[in-house]
């Protein structure tokens, strides 16, 4: 492994471990302070906000990363920069979202509005990360993420000091933390005038990335929404969310490796031999991590759940065992998706992901009435397995040839 790659990975993992520790600590604090019912309501609103954030991002964060690493779009005279178009899109969609808030129940309007604002700032932070990673500034990007996570965690933690805090206080705190981070010099790339313009060569890949993000978020998050809709039990939602937080922690640790290798794959696009070697190495590493994480989770998961959330979340322990079965598919899927995006086959990726999202929704409607939260976990495992098969077929069919 080269020194540059080692430095990039070490800085990314350090930032990820730090962000994971802070995020887990904040999640545990929220779970204890809000209780199962309050944590379930917060998780539900967070899910709604994350779904709308797909439209706010519009696929621009992925496009900025890809095009900054190795430009593929032909220059067009007079066309604004990708960051200018991304910010214009973000502002327009956020204003639209705030206008739609009155359509929701009265008690959810203020916290949901705060969630929309928070995710707008979150998307702006993601654009900074994409710009830094695309220019191979992984160490600077790692510091940027540490700054963002520190600011948001401190602000959200401070919000919990208010009497009887609820989701509104938490989302307001998160938004304030994002604002503080964006006020630092790290966010200098965003100092550009937002512009709106429909450019086919920009919005065509953005549309594919948006569909991918939408489908991915739907099958990652719709279980929370459907659990609340089909069971009406906030405590069940809270227990499921607590178990899934540990799965997300494992995914978070694997993300830096995927991002570093994505840039390597993109840069080596014209050398199929180098591309194939990097791809196979990354796939092997992810499979090994998945096996280790699954075994470790089965042994230590119940202890971690009780230590983190308390005895009130004892019902989350069997849910964790079911969800761990998805890791052998989730982590290799990371490699398969990064490879397809690097090769420019995002349209195929989008189609497979949309099919997976539809399958996940159908399975949730089928299993949740029968098995409640265990049914949602089973739907997650089945969806990830189907997605793995669909993505893998692309490499069987086309190999490592770029589109």
């Amino acid at each position: 492994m080269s020194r540059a790659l080692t430095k990039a990975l070490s800085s990314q993992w350090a930032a990820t471990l730090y962000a994971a520790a802070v995020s887990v600590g904040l999640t545990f604090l929220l779970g204890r302070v809000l209780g199962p019912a309050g944590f379930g309501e917060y998780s539900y609103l967070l899910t709604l906000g994350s779904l709308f954030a797909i439209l706010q991002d519009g696929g621009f964060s992925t496009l900025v990363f890809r095009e900054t690493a190795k430009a593929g779009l032909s220059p067009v005279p007079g066309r604004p920069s990708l960051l200018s178009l991304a910010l214009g899109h973000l502002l327009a969609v956020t204003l639209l979202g705030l206008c739609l808030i009155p359509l929701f129940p009265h008690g959810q309007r203020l916290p949901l509005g705060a969630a929309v604002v928070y995710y707008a700032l979150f998307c702006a932070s993601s654009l900074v990360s994409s710009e830094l990673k695309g220019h191979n500034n992984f160490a600077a990007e790692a510091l940027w993420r540490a700054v963002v996570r520190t600011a948001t965690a401190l602000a959200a933690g401070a919000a919990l000091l208010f009497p009887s805090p609820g989701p509104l206080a938490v989302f307001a705190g998160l938004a304030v933390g994002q604002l503080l981070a964006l006020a630092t010099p790290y966010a200098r790339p965003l100092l550009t005038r937002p512009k709106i313009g429909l450019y086919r060569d920009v919005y065509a890949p953005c549309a594919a990335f948006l569909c991918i993000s939408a489908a991915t978020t739907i099958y990652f998050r719709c279980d929370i929404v459907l659990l609340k809709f089909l069971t009406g039990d906030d405590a069940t939602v809270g227990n499921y969310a607590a178990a899934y937080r540990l799965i997300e922690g494992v995914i978070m640790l694997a993300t830096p490796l995927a991002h570093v290798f994505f840039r390597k794959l993109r840069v080596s696009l014209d050398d199929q031999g180098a591309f194939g070697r990097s791809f196979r190495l990354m796939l092997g590493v992810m499979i090994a991590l998945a096996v280790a994480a699954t075994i470790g989770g089965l042994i230590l998961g119940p202890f971690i759940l009780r230590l983190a959330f308390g005895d009130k979340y004892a019902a989350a322990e069997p849910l964790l065992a079911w969800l761990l079965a998805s890791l052998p598919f989730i982590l290799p899927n990371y490699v398969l998706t990064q490879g397809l995006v690097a090769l420019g086959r995002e349209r195929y990726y989008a189609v497979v992901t949309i099919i997976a999202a539809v399958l996940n929704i159908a399975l949730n409607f089928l299993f949740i009435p029968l098995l409640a939260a265990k049914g949602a976990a089973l739907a997650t495992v089945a969806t990830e397995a189907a997605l793995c098969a669909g993505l893998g077929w692309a490499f069987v069919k086309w190999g490592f040839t770029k589109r």
Side-chain angles (χ1 to χ4, degrees):
M1 186 179 291
S2 67
R3 181 178 299 179
L5 183 58
T6 301
K7 180 180 178 181
L9 280 177
S10 60
S11 63
Q12 286 286 300
W13 266 323
T16 298
L17 287 172
Y18 173 76
V22 174
S23 298
V24 168
L26 179 61
T27 299
F28 295 163
L29 180 62
L30 290 174
R32 287 180 175 272
V33 173
L34 300 179
F39 189 63
E41 180 69 12
Y42 163 74
S43 299
Y44 170 70
L45 295 173
L46 185 72
T47 299
L48 292 181
S50 67
L51 290 173
F52 187 72
I54 299 167
L55 297 177
Q56 290 174 298
D57 178 80
F60 275 99
S61 60
T62 304
L63 185 64
V64 168
F65 184 13
R66 190 179 75 174
E67 294 302 313
T68 306
K70 183 178 176 66
L73 295 179
S74 301
V76 175
R79 186 179 66 195
S81 68
L82 284 180
L83 279 179
S84 293
L85 292 173
L87 289 175
H89 173 90
L90 176 58
L91 287 174
V93 175
T94 299
L95 289 175
L96 174 63
L98 292 175
C99 292
L100 297 177
I101 293 298
L103 299 178
F104 288 84
H106 181 73
Q108 296 178 356
R109 291 174 187 173
L110 286 178
L112 197 54
V116 169
V117 173
Y118 160 66
Y119 270 110
L121 300 170
F122 175 87
C123 289
S125 298
S126 296
L127 290 173
V128 175
S129 290
S130 296
E131 180 81 3
L132 291 172
K133 289 184 295 186
H135 283 111
N136 204 28
N137 294 327
F138 283 97
E141 196 277 335
L143 288 173
W144 163 244
R145 280 193 292 122
V147 168
V148 173
R149 185 69 280 187
T150 300
T152 52
L154 289 175
L160 293 177
L161 298 176
F162 286 89
S164 302
L168 174 59
V170 176
F171 285 123
L174 290 170
V176 170
Q178 287 282 0
L179 274 175
L180 292 175
L182 289 169
T184 65
Y186 287 102
R188 190 175 294 113
L190 297 183
L191 294 178
T192 181
R193 180 176 298 178
K195 294 185 178 180
I196 297 177
L198 297 178
Y199 297 90
R200 178 182 174 82
D201 57 341
V202 172
Y203 272 92
C206 275
F209 291 135
L210 189 148
C211 289
I212 291 168
S213 296
T216 302
T217 304
I218 286 172
Y219 74 71
F220 266 124
R221 299 293 186 182
C222 76
D223 45 7
I224 296 286
V225 176
L226 291 178
L227 266 177
K228 182 176 177 63
F229 175 74
L230 295 174
T231 67
D233 186 352
D234 285 337
T236 297
V237 177
N239 282 311
Y240 182 85
Y244 203 87
R245 286 295 186 273
L246 297 189
I247 303 298
E248 289 178 334
V250 176
I251 297 172
M252 185 184 296
L253 290 175
T255 301
L257 186 62
H259 286 172
V260 171
F261 268 88
F262 171 76
R263 189 180 189 280
K264 185 175 180 62
L265 291 174
R266 183 68 178 172
V267 171
S268 63
L269 196 58
D270 299 324
D271 186 342
Q272 286 192 26
F275 189 100
R277 287 191 295 272
S278 297
F279 179 85
R280 285 187 286 269
L281 173 63
M282 187 179 182
L283 188 60
V285 169
M286 286 298 192
I287 291 174
L289 286 176
V291 172
T294 301
I295 295 174
L298 289 172
I299 297 172
L300 300 175
F303 170 75
I304 296 174
L305 271 175
R306 287 181 177 271
L307 178 66
F309 290 100
D311 293 334
K312 294 181 294 184
Y313 288 84
E317 293 179 16
L319 300 177
L320 176 61
W322 285 64
L323 286 169
L324 282 168
S326 65
L327 284 180
F329 303 108
I330 291 177
L331 297 190
N333 283 348
Y334 246 128
V335 184
L336 298 174
T337 57
Q338 299 286 4
L340 288 175
V341 173
L343 291 169
R345 298 193 178 276
E346 59 270 7
R347 290 185 182 179
Y348 176 85
Y349 175 20
V351 171
V352 173
T353 311
I354 291 171
I355 293 173
V358 173
L359 174 64
N360 184 259
I361 294 172
L363 291 176
N364 272 296
F365 271 107
L366 176 63
F367 293 145
I368 289 177
L370 298 175
L371 300 170
K374 289 182 180 179
L378 181 59
T380 296
V381 176
T383 301
E384 289 295 338
L387 181 63
C388 187
L391 296 175
W393 172 249
F395 294 96
V396 173
K397 184 177 181 180
W398 295 303
F400 302 122
T401 58
K402 60 182 179 180
R403 184 178 179 276

